[in-house]
Amino acid sequence: MPTDPVPAWKHHLYARAARRPDELAAAAHALYGGPPDPEAYPDFPDTDFLDFFAIEWVDGAGLTEVDHAVRAGELPEAALRWPREVRTAMWVVDGWEGDLVLLRDIRTEAEIAVSAPGMQADLPRRAVVRARVIPVGDALRFSGAPDVWEPMGVIARMDFLREWMATPEPALLEHLLALRVGFLRQREEREAWIAHFGADELLFDDPRDMERRLAAFMSHLNNEHVFPSLGGRTRAEAFRVAKGSEPTIVQLTLGATLTGPGRPGAIYDEVEGIHFLPAYGEARAHLRGEAPHPGVVTMYLDDPGITRLPFRRVGETAALARLLGLPEETPLDTLLDPYKPSGVRALPSVLPNLED
């Protein structure tokens, strides 16, 4: 059976993956519920797992291995379609049209046609297939060799599906898809933010200034900025096409925390996404040793909604160490460990969309 339509790209990704043992271990733990059993997986990491890791797994930076390779100039931008459009599911073969095998997702009934020349004998009608499908040029192709089971009737297929749904894989695939979509939106939105404001970190004169400037940005984001993931359309244009109606105007208003005293701020971080910070001007001034605002810094430490991000952005530790009664040379992570959990992977954090 033919196994791989683009071996050069895949082998490059496999070599990259091998250099990330900790991330491979995290992916294996999520997929298998623990380290793979050597007896059950004697060839681990096998090519199917490496495909999963390179194309679908989202690392602590919110990126797939394909994303990293494209950023490093090691793969063409066309490869970005893989993590954006990959589909892994349990399919049934409905038939053939020339070199196209017609597949139907057993769980959702979604239908696709996959280019698979020379595989007609291996994929008979009603066979059950677990496969990863990716776009290659103008066609969909199998990523590696699909797992194929003998033709089954409807009841047998549904029993087979229930067994698969009881494994960690289907829920993990859905979770990773949501992460890939969310982080892609976050990256595109952050680029629009930086293009509009000139920086990813902002300090506002007062809450009214913040609300005014953010309202103008939201209008620009929805009605003027074009997004590659939307085919070069604005969000409003994409909404009209998808919904057949005009979008509701998004009115951005600040909550009570941000409208309190002090100079609020906002950071649109590459990994952690959008963060709105009350009295950020005062917190930053204290951490820099420019003006005393210990109450604001203590509030930052105690607030579970405020991560390590603003402390990392300031980057200075002496004033924080003095506030906590510790030596000034204490590393920042040591200072924050009692207040902010470490090792927590970021989730996408984005601005409200037209349909939110």
Side-chain angles (χ1 to χ4, degrees):
M1 179 183 295
T3 59
D4 202 336
V6 280
W9 289 18
K10 287 296 191 61
H11 296 163
H12 180 84
L13 288 173
Y14 295 167
R16 285 185 59 91
R19 299 194 293 269
R20 307 189 69 190
D22 291 346
E23 203 65 39
L24 279 172
H29 193 280
L31 184 60
Y32 302 118
D37 181 349
E39 294 184 3
Y41 302 95
D43 298 323
F44 180 84
D46 61 14
T47 55
D48 183 70
F49 175 80
L50 289 173
D51 272 15
F52 160 77
F53 179 79
I55 298 172
E56 302 193 68
W57 178 253
V58 179
D59 68 10
L63 299 167
T64 67
E65 201 62 30
V66 171
D67 292 316
H68 283 294
V70 171
R71 286 185 168 203
E74 299 167 356
L75 288 180
E77 287 198 13
L80 291 175
R81 292 185 62 196
W82 288 15
R84 294 177 186 178
E85 301 178 36
V86 61
R87 298 176 65 177
T88 303
M90 197 72 72
W91 317 87
V92 61
V93 177
D94 279 341
W96 285 81
E97 290 183 358
D99 287 335
L100 296 176
V101 60
L102 308 180
L103 301 179
R104 179 162 41 91
D105 189 319
I106 299 175
R107 183 165 65 95
T108 68
E109 294 293 311
E111 299 175 338
I112 62 170
V114 179
S115 179
M119 298 178 66
Q120 285 87 340
D122 300 299
L123 298 172
R125 188 174 180 276
R126 298 173 64 196
V128 171
V129 181
R130 179 202 164 277
R132 180 170 294 103
V133 177
I134 58 173
V136 180
D138 295 332
L140 294 174
R141 301 288 296 263
F142 290 122
S143 179
D147 296 320
V148 184
W149 290 267
E150 63 185 14
M152 300 181 190
V154 175
I155 294 177
R157 288 199 300 266
M158 296 308 296
D159 288 341
F160 203 79
L161 175 66
R162 278 191 288 270
E163 292 179 9
W164 183 60
M165 293 297 294
T167 72
E169 185 176 36
L172 176 62
L173 294 177
E174 288 193 5
H175 172 67
L176 292 173
L177 173 60
L179 285 182
R180 293 196 303 275
V181 170
F183 277 117
L184 172 60
R185 175 177 160 185
Q186 178 175 292
R187 288 191 290 272
E188 289 187 331
E189 199 171 89
R190 180 174 179 267
E191 289 174 1
W193 174 283
I194 294 173
H196 185 84
F197 290 115
D200 71 343
E201 181 176 333
L202 302 176
L203 188 61
F204 301 92
D205 293 333
D206 56 50
R208 291 182 300 277
D209 173 54
M210 184 181 195
E211 192 167 74
R212 175 183 59 79
R213 292 176 64 187
L214 288 179
F217 172 70
M218 290 299 295
S219 177
H220 167 78
L221 186 71
N222 291 324
N223 300 298
E224 299 174 29
H225 187 82
V226 296
F227 289 85
S229 64
L230 298 178
R233 294 177 296 192
T234 67
R235 284 183 173 173
E237 289 169 340
F239 184 94
R240 293 185 188 101
V241 171
K243 306 292 185 180
S245 61
E246 287 295 313
T248 302
I249 296 175
V250 175
Q251 294 286 357
L252 191 146
T253 57
L254 302 183
T257 302
L258 288 171
T259 56
R263 300 182 64 194
I267 301 174
Y268 209 130
D269 185 68
E270 183 176 19
V271 176
E272 293 195 31
I274 186 69
H275 282 243
F276 295 110
L277 300 165
Y280 184 47
E282 287 68 26
R284 196 165 69 175
H286 186 100
L287 293 171
R288 289 175 173 175
E290 299 169 348
H293 297 284
V296 176
V297 176
T298 300
M299 180 268 289
Y300 270 41
L301 291 171
D302 292 339
D303 187 340
I306 296 178
T307 69
R308 298 179 181 224
L309 179 62
F311 299 94
R312 292 202 313 267
R313 284 300 181 103
V314 175
E316 299 180 32
T317 62
L320 178 60
R322 288 195 298 271
L323 178 64
L324 298 176
L326 295 170
E328 292 187 359
E329 65 275 10
T330 304
L332 180 60
D333 285 340
T334 302
L335 294 172
L336 295 177
D337 278 343
Y339 304 92
K340 310 294 179 185
S342 60
V344 178
R345 294 199 176 216
L347 297 174
S349 177
V350 296
L351 291 162
N353 207 341
L354 290 170
E355 60 266 16
D356 289 343

